[in-house]
Amino acid sequence: MKKLFLLPTIILLVASCKNEKLTETNTIMEKQAKLEIEKVLMNYKETLNTSSAEKATALYTKDGIFMPSSGPTAIGKEQIKASYDFVFSQIQLNIEFYIEEITIENNFAFAVTSSKGETLIHATKTTIPEENRELFIFEKENETWKIARYMFNKTK
């Protein structure tokens, strides 16, 4: 009789150890993914501050979508590059990004951020305050996190 109770107890103990290891592995993988996404966001900030349309475009998936607040939606790398070329011909950004949330689900993730700084308008040579809130959707493409969708709007 004791043997009948002992076997299920051992099975439950082994199973719970495996579940703990799996949970621990998932937590480590999620932390790593968040660090990778944070790096993409900081690289993106640098592309904005250096007006690099090529580098900004390289951070997107091949079928990425860029939805600027006052411009048409750009779909795919060619349109995204053209959109950034136009934006950077009009303004020079000097901003800082603040990451508020990153959530990961399999090969997709989203990040909610805000940014604050200033914008130099080339046409008038004037500098104005810049403040936005942003929503990024990331997709893992060839084992690398890339921007799949990006939308922002002004907060003030």
Side-chain angles (χ1 to χ4, degrees), residues 22-88:
L22 185 60
T23 301
E24 185 178 319
T25 300
N26 287 344
T27 301
I28 291 168
M29 290 173 63
E30 185 172 324
K31 284 181 181 178
Q32 180 62 37
K34 284 183 178 183
L35 288 173
E36 291 170 12
I37 291 168
E38 286 176 12
K39 185 176 178 183
V40 174
L41 288 167
M42 292 305 107
N43 286 339
Y44 182 71
K45 176 193 78 165
E46 289 305 313
T47 68
L48 295 179
N49 287 337
T50 60
S51 299
S52 178
E54 294 82 17
K55 288 180 182 177
T57 303
L59 296 174
Y60 280 83
T61 60
K62 64 181 176 260
D63 61 347
I65 298 176
F66 172 43
M67 297 171 271
S69 66
S70 297
T73 298
I75 302 172
K77 292 221 178 201
E78 187 176 311
Q79 287 183 14
I80 290 170
K81 167 97 170 41
S83 185
Y84 281 105
D85 280 334
F86 175 75
V87 168
F88 295 147

Side-chain angles (χ1 to χ4, degrees), residues 111-150:
V112 176
T113 65
S114 58
S115 58
K116 191 172 185 176
E118 53 189 29
T119 298
L120 169 66
I121 300 171
H122 294 308
T124 61
K125 305 288 188 233
T126 57
T127 301
I128 59 170
E130 183 74 25
E131 195 169 338
N132 294 288
R133 57 187 174 178
E134 300 95 13
L135 177 63
F136 291 87
I137 299 174
F138 294 90
E139 182 178 3
K140 208 162 199 186
E141 184 178 81
N142 300 321
E143 298 304 311
T144 302
W145 287 104
K146 298 235 175 183
I147 301 167
R149 308 291 185 265
Y150 171 52

Side-chain angles (χ1 to χ4, degrees), residues 88-104:
F88 295 147
S89 74
Q90 304 298 304
I91 63 170
Q92 169 65 54
L93 292 164
N94 182 17
I95 55 139
E96 190 58 54
F97 259 65
Y98 304 95
I99 300 169
E100 297 167 16
E101 177 183 8
I102 296 174
T103 301
I104 299 168

